Amino acid sequence: MKRKKPKKNPDIHPKAGREQSAGGCLFIVSAPSGTGKSTLCQAARERFPDLVYSISFTTRSPRAGEKDGVDYFFISPSEFEARIGRGDWVEWAKVHGHYYGTSADFLNQQLSAGRRVLLDIDVAGAKQILNRFPESVTIFIMPPSLDALRRRLETRGTDDAESIEKRLVNAEKEIAEKDFYRHVIVNDRLDAAIDAFCDIIARYPPA
Ligand code: 5GP
């Protein structure tokens, strides 16, 4: 039976069908930029050494201190688009004007090996993954408020004013979709948020 292609990314998984994660477990984490999601992911990776972090591909420029192959694989828009054509992405999205995508090969290999995989992706990407891997554990991280988020983005100092405004507009849209996630954590106090995040992961132990 032919399935309808998703509206947003018509190039994604043309042979789409629901897939089982072959014994592995997928954790999908989304949050508005500046909510502390990277810190939570880092803490979870330290607490659960078996957890595999999927390094995304992006066309945005590296920020100060970011390394290719560690934080992201930084590639050009033309390479990203060529890979869309080849069906290399299990999901991809344009976020804040740049492409971001997850390697289908990497994800399939890890899940076939029965590993627990952590994906830090946006809401559009989360929906695509859930369509394909409906058993994924979805977690949304909320800022305490939009004002607190603005202050964080400004003090972080990694984004210019225009980029901060884009991120705040996007944050409102993403927060409006939080109920789509199985778990929602408000990152008000970092230590409590780390515990809540790790408690969820601990509920799905390695196979
Ligand atoms: P940043 O540029 O601040 O690192 O990330 C911006 C946004 O892109 C975040 O919401 C992050 O979760 C999302 N993102 C990172 N990697 C991917 C990916 O592979 N796919 C999708 N759909 N979003 C991603």
Side-chain angles (χ1 to χ4, degrees):
M1 185 183 81
K2 249 193 155 185
R3 285 174 67 98
K4 268 193 180 171
K5 291 178 183 177
K7 266 189 202 150
K8 267 205 160 173
N9 278 331
D11 302 303
I12 287 292
H13 51 83
K15 292 171 275 201
R18 294 201 154 197
E19 295 172 24
Q20 297 301 312
S21 44
C25 182
L26 252 180
F27 298 96
I28 304 175
V29 187
S30 304
S33 176
T35 311
K37 181 181 43 171
S38 307
T39 310
L40 293 183
C41 288
Q42 189 52 39
R45 289 165 72 188
E46 282 165 22
R47 215 177 282 188
F48 305 104
D50 71 290
L51 207 55
V52 176
Y53 182 72
S54 164
I55 302 170
S56 294
F57 289 70
T58 184
T59 59
R60 81 152 163 75
S61 309
R63 297 191 184 114
E66 283 185 332
K67 289 200 181 74
D68 187 43
V70 176
D71 302 283
Y72 282 103
F73 293 105
F74 297 97
I75 62 173
S76 67
S78 57
E79 188 178 347
F80 196 101
E81 285 166 0
R83 292 196 189 194
I84 293 174
R86 295 203 299 265
D88 283 0
W89 311 124
V90 65
E91 65 76 31
W92 66 269
K94 219 168 191 180
V95 190
H96 315 135
H98 302 287
Y99 285 122
Y100 291 81
T102 303
S103 157
D105 277 353
F106 178 80
L107 192 61
N108 288 330
Q109 279 160 15
Q110 298 302 321
L111 292 175
S112 314
R115 303 222 170 85
R116 301 197 295 172
V117 183
L118 183 59
L119 292 185
D120 166 350
I121 60 177
D122 83 325
V123 176
K127 288 183 173 171
Q128 295 166 46
I129 293 279
L130 211 57
N131 186 33
R132 204 156 175 183
F133 300 100
E135 296 153 25
S136 304
V137 179
T138 49
I139 307 165
F140 191 86
I141 315 292
M142 290 270 292
S145 67
L146 281 174
D147 278 349
L149 186 61
R150 176 185 287 279
R151 281 196 298 277
R152 263 203 77 170
L153 287 170
E154 284 169 355
T155 48
R156 185 165 85 170
T158 51
D159 299 284
D160 59 28
E162 188 192 300
S163 175
I164 289 177
E165 291 314 317
K166 260 192 202 169
R167 280 161 199 271
L168 285 168
V169 170
N170 209 41
E172 276 196 85
K173 288 190 197 146
E174 291 196 290
I175 290 169
E177 305 232 45
K178 72 178 188 328
D179 293 338
F180 162 81
Y181 288 73
R182 201 185 297 181
H183 304 278
V184 177
I185 296 171
V186 179
N187 189 2
D188 201 350
R189 271 191 27 236
L190 184 61
D191 49 354
I194 289 175
D195 284 344
F197 188 55
C198 290
D199 282 352
I200 294 167
I201 293 171
R203 280 187 228 164
Y204 305 88

